[in-house]
Amino acid sequence: VRQSETSYLSVAALSFQSIRPVPGSTPNAAGIRPLEDDQTLPVIAPLVEFRFEPQQRIAGGRLRLKGSGVLLDRDASNVTPGAPGIDSRRATVEGDWRRAFIVGPGVRLEPFAMARGDLYNVADLSAADTDMHTTGRALGVLGVDASYPFIRRKGGVTTIVEPILQIALSPDVEPNPNIPDQDGLAFDFDETNLFEPNKFTGFDLYEGGQRANLGVRTSVDWGQGRNARFIVGRSFRADVDPMFPARTSLNQTSSDWVAGAEITPVAGLALY
């Protein structure tokens, strides 16, 4: 790892050894079930991540450049016994720009733009398809965050109520059979990623289409370390998005409500 005030570089290699029992397997006479085959787990060598943020303003805003590359090698398939596992290589470059304005009586506007390019090289997608596939794609999003915080101070208590609207526009993204989903399987939708322009934290999946995220963020501060934070909201889409699992509700034109709270009633005690 190398880090400076404006950049970050990490190069890593990882291997895994599982102690998870095989689901649905029959235990032996001692009641022990067989463990997951380590050959189905990837060896990651290397995993490279890079970020650079120029100190000077670009078009009046903050620009952040990112790069990422990874190689995953599997000896065996976790789906078809005796078949080779999926081997994949990915390289990514990304640019992220954002600028803030205060207009009128205190409305905060933050236009943003993101552009990303991915190059995938994948082999052994299945027992019947052991060819090597190279796939490139370009992704991006344009949007704006708008918020209007209301602030009240009374008797040593400061309350802030902030309605937030985010509009994000992207080309539609369709599932690609040559890009297996390997880093988005554990995705969840909650208050932490409600206002993320791309809610997928990994690289294999990307959020597309036209959508709006709407919510209210509230904070109350009593001083002496006592405070409370609340957020509630939901997401709306122009069209359904098949990239999201049904359990997240984001594959519909309107999502479930999500909410979160964190309260520190006395110094040293936090509830969430």
Side-chain angles (χ1 to χ4, degrees):
V1 175
R2 183 185 186 279
Q3 186 170 357
S4 70
E5 293 182 357
T6 59
S7 65
Y8 173 86
L9 172 66
S10 169
V11 182
L14 305 92
S15 66
F16 302 92
Q17 191 172 22
S18 178
I19 56 173
R20 296 184 298 189
V22 176
S25 58
T26 302
N28 60 17
I32 300 174
R33 290 189 292 165
L35 300 181
E36 186 177 26
D37 185 358
D38 291 338
Q39 291 188 324
T40 65
L41 304 176
V43 173
I44 303 175
L47 170 62
V48 181
E49 298 174 288
F50 174 74
R51 294 193 296 272
F52 173 66
E53 186 172 324
Q55 291 182 329
Q56 63 271 26
R57 310 296 278 180
I58 306 297
R62 184 268 299 153
L63 176 66
R64 183 177 295 150
L65 303 176
K66 303 178 184 178
S68 174
V70 66
L71 188 153
L72 290 86
D73 182 79
R74 290 180 175 86
D75 291 331
S77 169
N78 61 349
V79 177
T80 306
I86 298 175
D87 298 331
S88 66
R89 290 149 289 277
R90 174 189 53 78
T92 295
V93 292
E94 179 179 348
D96 169 17
W97 176 88
R98 180 178 288 266
R99 182 176 180 181
F101 298 90
I102 305 297
V103 298
V107 176
R108 181 180 177 88
L109 298 177
E110 289 194 21
F112 59 85
M114 299 168 59
R116 196 178 98 192
D118 297 327
L119 182 64
Y120 280 83
N121 182 264
V122 182
D124 299 326
L125 283 169
S126 68
D129 183 2
T130 58
D131 293 336
M132 186 171 291
H133 303 271
T134 299
T135 305
R137 65 180 179 182
L139 307 166
V141 57
L142 291 173
V144 62
D145 290 346
S147 63
Y148 189 10
F150 298 89
I151 302 175
R152 180 185 183 186
R153 294 186 176 94
K154 183 178 180 180
V157 178
T158 301
T159 303
I160 302 176
V161 179
E162 185 181 14
I164 305 172
L165 169 65
Q166 180 186 79
I167 297 175
L169 309 175
S170 301
D172 293 333
V173 179
E174 299 294 335
N176 189 321
N178 293 333
I179 301 179
D181 177 19
Q182 303 184 92
D183 60 14
L185 298 175
F187 172 80
D188 285 308
F189 174 47
D190 57 27
E191 77 283 359
T192 63
N193 56 9
L194 171 62
F195 294 107
E196 288 293 334
N198 173 30
K199 293 182 173 59
F200 290 109
T201 56
F203 291 88
D204 297 338
L205 302 180
Y206 194 85
E207 184 176 7
Q210 294 73 54
R211 62 266 189 201
N213 303 307
L214 181 65
V216 177
R217 185 162 49 203
T218 303
S219 66
V220 183
D221 194 314
W222 296 278
Q224 298 179 340
R226 299 173 299 163
N227 55 66
R229 305 284 186 271
F230 307 94
I231 186 171
V232 61
R234 67 189 307 191
S235 184
F236 300 90
R237 308 186 60 83
D239 300 295
V240 297
D241 190 340
M243 304 293 283
F244 287 101
R247 59 180 172 78
T248 67
S249 78
L250 288 171
N251 65 328
Q252 304 298 320
T253 54
S254 59
S255 73
D256 293 338
W257 289 92
V258 294
E262 183 175 349
I263 306 171
T264 304
V266 296
L269 174 63
L271 309 174
Y272 63 91

